[in-house]
Amino acid sequence: MNISIIGVVGAGIMGSGIAQVAARAGFNVVMRDISDSFVSRGMTAIGKNMDREVQKNRLTREEADAVLNRVKGTTDLGDLAGCDFVIEAAVEQIELKKNIFRELDKFCRPGTIFASNTSGLSITEMAAASGRPAKFIGMHFFNPVPVMRLVELIKGAETDDSTYEAASDLAKKFGKEPIMVNEAPLFAVNRILVPMLNEAMFVLMEGVASAEDIDKGMVLGANHPMGPLALSDLIGLDTLLMVMETLYNETGDSKYRPCPLLRKKVRAGHLGRKTGRGFYEYESK
Ligand code: 3HC
């Protein structure tokens, strides 16, 4: 399948990261969010990353500008009409995602593949709403997208082999390593990772150890690149709560109950790095 224009729905941490790796790989990208300020925040994030690539002599200024120029920001979903492959990275709400795919189905050609970057919601359910279940797949990137090498590819009940092959080829062109996962709540990696992060919050809430010592323990004692509480702040506590709730609701297993401390922080608006405060405080968002 010949793919040249990639649509990305959502210009947040994940959407802008996906747009960046796609543009860096030479694709033209249309990145859509619901407001101009969200779109420009995404463009600014890509611009900063390109500046760093220039500073580190990995790209010339001209090459970095060309990457940026390949990303067109928009608030109009209809601007994704010409895309060959659309990756959705909106917030983790199934009804919202289903509505996006219903709308996209009206604009995009029948052959255009739709992918969701959901952290764990049902691919089959979104695929059914998209009007093109055979051309629908889960394409789960990891934060920070430009750095993390994995992409989980999740087959829904009706995803066909050609869709899987196209997504796998695309992930490799983005410089990523795909793994194949069958649909299950939170897929494979988050099913293992997110309960560990949730458990670290219980350890903190119960006063077993301080945030700093929990993180130090997992960095020095388990060789993780960063501690679970710092990683939670990086991912975003609102996202983590929604992901944890998906696992709990889908399985009905009490071992997956979200930590009350996580819920409290989200209610207070302390969502991690993106708001400047989560388990830690940050000078720049
Ligand atoms: N965007 C782009 N590049 C970034 C970045 C970002 N947000 N953050 C760091 N980098 C780059 C740096 O520029 C640097 O690149 P270079 O070595 O080529 O110059 C490199 O990453 C290393 O960064 P630093 O030296 O600043 O810091 P660290 O060595 O501590 O690495 C880290 C930072 C890459 C974030 C590392 O701590 C790490 O791998 N942490 C774990 C991340 C992780 O587990 N992510 C998965 C989260 S789960 C998820 O996303 C799924 C979702 O569904 C919930």
Side-chain angles (χ1 to χ4, degrees):
M1 184 185 173
N2 196 15
I3 296 170
S4 67
I5 311 179
I6 310 274
V8 178
V9 181
I13 302 173
M14 300 304 286
S16 64
I18 295 166
Q20 179 184 316
V21 296
R24 182 85 154 80
F27 293 95
N28 289 313
V29 179
V30 185
M31 180 173 74
R32 183 263 185 184
D33 212 317
I34 51 173
S35 74
D36 288 330
S37 65
F38 289 166
V39 172
S40 68
R41 197 175 57 188
M43 295 298 290
T44 304
I46 299 172
K48 278 188 186 160
N49 285 342
M50 288 305 102
D51 290 346
R52 203 170 50 222
E53 294 294 273
V54 174
Q55 279 158 18
K56 296 210 163 181
N57 291 322
R58 286 192 289 240
L59 287 181
T60 63
R61 185 72 259 171
E62 291 69 34
E63 287 165 337
D65 290 344
V67 172
L68 259 183
N69 287 334
R70 281 197 286 275
V71 184
K72 176 177 178 266
T74 182
T75 53
D76 183 356
L77 208 54
D79 283 349
L80 275 69
C83 294
D84 306 303
F85 198 109
V86 178
I87 305 170
E88 169 274 322
V91 290
E92 285 294 282
Q93 291 168 6
I94 188 88
E95 289 308 323
L96 180 123
K97 288 179 188 280
K98 282 159 68 177
N99 279 336
I100 288 170
F101 287 117
R102 273 187 206 108
E103 284 299 303
L104 281 172
D105 187 47
K106 292 181 200 159
F107 301 125
C108 296
R109 292 186 299 272
T112 299
I113 293 176
F114 290 171
S116 176
N117 176 58
T118 177
S119 299
L121 295 169
S122 170
I123 299 304
T124 301
E125 188 173 343
M126 284 183 263
S130 76
R132 54 185 77 195
K135 299 243 160 278
F136 196 103
I137 192 161
M139 203 168 178
H140 183 214
F141 292 80
F142 291 80
N143 185 8
V145 178
V147 180
M148 305 300 287
R149 292 188 55 217
L150 182 70
V151 173
E152 267 181 312
L153 295 178
I154 305 102
K155 284 182 167 179
E158 293 183 54
T159 305
D160 69 19
D161 289 345
S162 66
T163 299
Y164 179 81
E165 290 307 325
S168 175
D169 283 352
L170 192 62
K172 288 177 192 161
K173 285 184 179 146
F174 287 177
K176 306 295 181 196
E177 283 285 337
I179 59 169
M180 195 187 88
V181 180
N182 290 314
E183 179 165 86
L186 269 56
F187 319 135
V189 175
N190 277 348
R191 164 92 172 267
I192 300 164
L193 177 71
V194 176
M196 187 275 286
L197 304 181
N198 195 52
E199 202 58 32
M201 297 171 203
F202 274 108
V203 172
L204 177 66
M205 191 182 78
E206 291 166 12
V208 177
S210 67
E212 289 76 9
D213 280 353
I214 291 167
D215 278 356
K216 192 174 174 183
M218 293 306 286
V219 170
L220 300 183
N223 252 1
H224 288 192
M226 65 201 298
L229 300 171
L231 180 56
S232 298
D233 279 354
L234 177 74
I235 294 169
L237 303 188
D238 51 343
T239 300
L240 268 183
L241 178 58
M242 284 187 262
V243 172
M244 211 48 218
E245 275 172 338
T246 301
L247 188 55
Y248 181 55
N249 294 335
E250 288 275 332
T251 60
D253 192 331
S254 64
K255 75 179 176 186
Y256 296 131
R257 75 230 173 280
C259 178
L261 182 58
L262 174 61
R263 208 178 282 288
K264 196 186 272 183
K265 287 204 175 283
V266 172
R267 285 180 175 152
H270 300 153
L271 308 182
R273 281 197 194 193
K274 62 184 162 188
T275 59
R277 186 169 168 191
F279 291 102
Y280 299 97
E281 297 201 1
Y282 302 88
E283 276 168 26
S284 60
K285 290 178 189 173

